[in-house]
Amino acid sequence: MRQRTTTDDPGQQRQRAPGPTGSVLFGALSSFKKDTLRLLTELQRQYGGVVRMKMGPYLVHQVTDPEAVRHVLQDNARNYVRGRFYRGFNLFFGRGMLTTDGAEWRTRRAVSRPFFHRAALRARSSTVTDTVEELLDRWEPHARSGRPVDITDDMMWLAMGVLGRMLFGVDLRQYADRLLPAVRFSLKAMILTGEVKQMLPRWVPTAYQRRLKRHQRTLNDVMDEIIDLHRRGGGSPDSVVAALLKATHEVTGEPFTQRQIRAELKTLFLAGHETTGCALAWTLSAIARHDDVRTRLDAELTTVLGGRVPTAEDVDDLPYLRAVVDESLRLYPPIWLFPRDTVADDRIGGHHVPAGSTVLVPVYAAHHNPAVWDDPEAYDPRRFCPAHAGRGANGADRTGGTPRQRDRYDYFPFGGGARKCIGMDLALLELRLAVAMVVQRYRLRPVEGRPVRPTALVSLRPQPGVVVHIAHNGPGERKAPAA
């Protein structure tokens, strides 16, 4: 890539951010489709924290500099809306909390917010540990046989179970056989890649459109069944579903319609279980591939827990466990990109950004920035240990003097500002408790010749999957509880 000259006016040229050469029609779109993560990371490393480029007919700015990220997500967030990159999300999410702005978004978020308060989640942490216990029991045959298993779908199954019990008032796993195929399809369909099959009008009766409609119908049907169950008095009265049925719209004063409730539930389901499931799969994969991390984590868990089931309060006494999870979220952020459209002209990092253009905040590229993270491709939880604050993977000061304090927007796996992920505390609680329980009971070892790579779908999916051997932990083989 080489920086392009965008205008003959020196004043205008100084205002515009640097960026790659590309044709007026396609720009960086072909590279974006081919290897999205590599492109975004290379753009950051070659051109810096604010990059200008063309993607097809669109003018796009990539933002990774911490101050610039803060400007977009927090300080001037009102000037940035969901925009064109979210149009594909509407196919499966509908108009819910993820895809709306302004009063529409505030109304939806207000109904769900009480269910995500940290104290309320901690009080119900046994729901998480009970669901993890069920997963560990499912793994017993694999531990006995030694047969390799892809744990990716198991992580989705676990996250689905926790989400259903904590929020939906039903166990979503009873719908897993119907939901998981729809989720797999939607993860690809929601990312607009410019393929002909995606660009054709919806009424054209192609095989792709028939599959799309079938999976949309599956998601809608399952959510309608859950809503109707609650209308008939089934399900938990302390669920998001029940709260949505009783809520009124902030703007209209009217109750939520079936379609609006369904959109909120699809949003909570798709965003809530998929991202946490991916984070669990990546974290367990990283532990399996790093014996030193596994040994240190096992020692901490043995000292603090002694083999018992952890509680929410125990998490405060397990700093290395928290560091292991945080480093996984740095290296493999499940929400790898925050796209926005600009409402009015703005300046980001001293560069002019015109109204109507798109701003991409790629968490993945920011988390792999060598100007911020020493040896950014290495998995090293010590980055997040208090003794290593401001230090690189080898423990050396970045500055050669006083260690640099980490900026809030050096590391932002859950976003920032008012639209920071509402499920952050639930995800972190689930990740920490689940990892602790898995490591106490089992030792996972990767299968040779089955490398895992991150793929940028709606979430950062491990592809082709996390295939491991599962064995009981320790020389004495910590036994499973009696049935």
Side-chain angles (χ1 to χ4, degrees):
M1 296 181 191
R2 57 184 176 87
Q3 185 170 335
R4 64 185 286 184
T5 302
T6 55
T7 178
D8 293 331
D9 182 338
Q12 283 287 86
Q13 187 173 334
R14 282 195 299 271
Q15 289 183 1
R16 293 188 177 186
T21 299
S23 70
V24 174
L25 178 59
F26 294 106
L29 184 60
S30 59
S31 297
F32 187 83
K33 289 165 57 178
K34 184 177 180 181
D35 193 337
T36 305
L37 299 176
R38 180 179 178 183
L39 170 69
L40 299 182
T41 303
E42 287 184 353
L43 286 171
Q44 189 281 320
R45 294 182 181 182
Q46 184 163 359
Y47 297 105
V50 182
V51 184
R52 186 181 189 273
M53 60 186 149
K54 291 283 288 184
M55 282 192 175
Y58 305 120
L59 175 62
V60 176
H61 284 79
Q62 171 175 295
V63 171
T64 54
D65 175 78
E67 286 298 323
V69 173
R70 177 181 288 104
H71 179 83
V72 173
L73 297 185
Q74 180 176 313
D75 296 344
N76 199 29
R78 290 182 179 224
N79 193 47
Y80 295 90
V81 295
R82 301 320 237 184
R84 59 179 61 88
F85 269 70
Y86 278 87
R87 290 172 189 165
F89 287 39
N90 287 330
L91 290 171
F92 290 92
F93 285 91
R95 289 190 55 78
M97 196 188 330
L98 183 72
T99 56
T100 54
D101 292 288
E104 287 286 331
W105 166 73
R106 287 194 299 272
T107 296
R108 286 158 169 73
R109 189 173 176 105
V111 177
S112 297
R113 187 184 299 116
F115 295 90
F116 292 96
H117 287 165
R118 185 175 300 179
L121 294 171
R122 286 197 162 204
R124 301 183 61 192
S125 66
S126 61
T127 300
V128 178
T129 53
D130 288 348
T131 310
V132 177
E133 285 282 8
E134 292 167 10
L135 171 70
L136 300 182
D137 289 342
R138 277 167 56 102
W139 280 358
E140 272 299 312
H142 298 292
R144 295 191 185 103
S145 70
R147 291 191 306 269
V149 58
D150 182 350
I151 65 171
T152 310
D153 275 355
D154 285 338
M155 295 302 100
M156 303 303 163
W157 183 87
L158 170 62
M160 198 180 294
V162 171
L163 186 73
R165 290 171 168 179
M166 294 285 269
L167 300 181
F168 281 64
V170 298
D171 193 336
L172 288 172
R173 293 173 300 181
Q174 65 185 295
Y175 305 100
D177 289 345
R178 296 161 63 189
L179 289 173
L180 285 177
V183 170
R184 293 189 197 102
F185 180 87
S186 71
L187 292 175
K188 297 180 180 179
M190 285 188 281
I191 299 296
L192 300 181
T193 62
E195 294 179 82
V196 173
K197 65 182 181 182
Q198 288 187 319
M199 307 304 288
L200 288 173
R202 297 279 174 248
W203 52 264
V204 178
T206 63
Y208 176 81
Q209 293 294 345
R210 287 193 292 272
R211 290 180 65 204
L212 174 67
K213 291 176 182 177
R214 183 173 74 252
H215 290 306
Q216 286 175 321
R217 189 165 52 249
T218 295
L219 283 171
N220 289 337
D221 287 349
V222 170
M223 298 307 146
D224 282 342
E225 289 173 27
I226 294 171
I227 296 168
D228 293 342
L229 174 67
H230 281 77
R231 289 190 192 278
R232 298 193 305 268
S236 169
D238 299 322
S239 68
V240 169
V241 187
L244 286 165
L245 286 168
K246 291 185 288 188
T248 55
H249 198 284
E250 176 185 315
V251 178
T252 66
E254 298 293 325
F256 280 69
T257 66
Q258 181 88 356
R259 184 173 185 174
Q260 289 170 327
I261 296 173
R262 182 200 304 143
E264 287 311 304
L265 296 184
K266 287 192 294 184
T267 297
L268 290 170
F269 166 69
L270 288 167
H273 92 278
E274 168 67 21
T275 52
T276 304
C278 285
L280 278 166
W282 281 121
T283 304
L284 293 177
S285 174
I287 294 170
R289 289 182 283 110
H290 294 84
D291 287 340
D292 56 331
V293 172
R294 162 76 202 211
T295 299
R296 180 170 175 177
L297 179 58
D298 196 39
E300 179 180 81
L301 294 172
T302 299
T303 300
V304 176
L305 301 176
R308 64 176 172 81
V309 174
T311 66
E313 290 69 30
D314 289 319
V315 170
D316 297 331
D317 298 322
L318 296 165
Y320 192 67
L321 169 65
R322 297 199 307 274
V324 165
V325 170
D326 289 347
E327 174 68 345
S328 295
L329 292 173
R330 181 197 68 81
L331 199 57
Y332 309 108
I335 309 170
W336 60 275
L337 178 72
F338 295 109
R340 299 287 189 269
D341 276 9
T342 311
V343 177
D345 284 11
D346 200 2
R347 292 184 69 80
I348 303 177
H351 303 292
H352 175 67
V353 178
S357 59
T358 293
V359 171
L360 302 180
V361 184
V363 187
Y364 184 90
H367 284 188
H368 289 245
N369 183 358
V372 173
W373 306 95
D374 287 350
D375 197 8
E377 305 306 320
Y379 179 79
D380 191 334
R382 291 179 300 168
R383 303 176 201 271
F384 292 92
C385 293
H388 286 258
R391 297 172 180 264
N394 61 4
D397 293 355
R398 286 198 192 95
T399 59
T402 302
R404 173 189 182 278
Q405 292 300 308
R406 185 175 295 121
D407 188 281
R408 163 69 182 81
Y409 287 98
D410 283 346
Y411 174 77
F412 53 106
F414 298 97
R419 301 212 57 152
K420 183 165 70 173
C421 176
I422 194 173
M424 180 183 75
D425 287 327
L426 175 57
L428 288 174
L429 180 66
E430 184 176 345
L431 282 163
R432 292 162 179 171
L433 292 175
V435 170
M437 293 177 69
V438 170
V439 170
Q440 281 194 113
R441 183 153 157 187
Y442 294 119
R443 179 176 292 274
L444 309 185
R445 293 196 180 279
V447 174
E448 291 186 11
R450 295 292 298 266
V452 184
R453 67 181 187 279
T455 301
L457 301 175
V458 172
S459 57
L460 196 72
R461 270 262 177 167
Q463 295 288 352
V466 179
V467 182
V468 296
H469 294 286
I470 301 174
H472 290 99
N473 185 28
E477 290 197 354
R478 196 170 286 150
K479 298 294 184 182

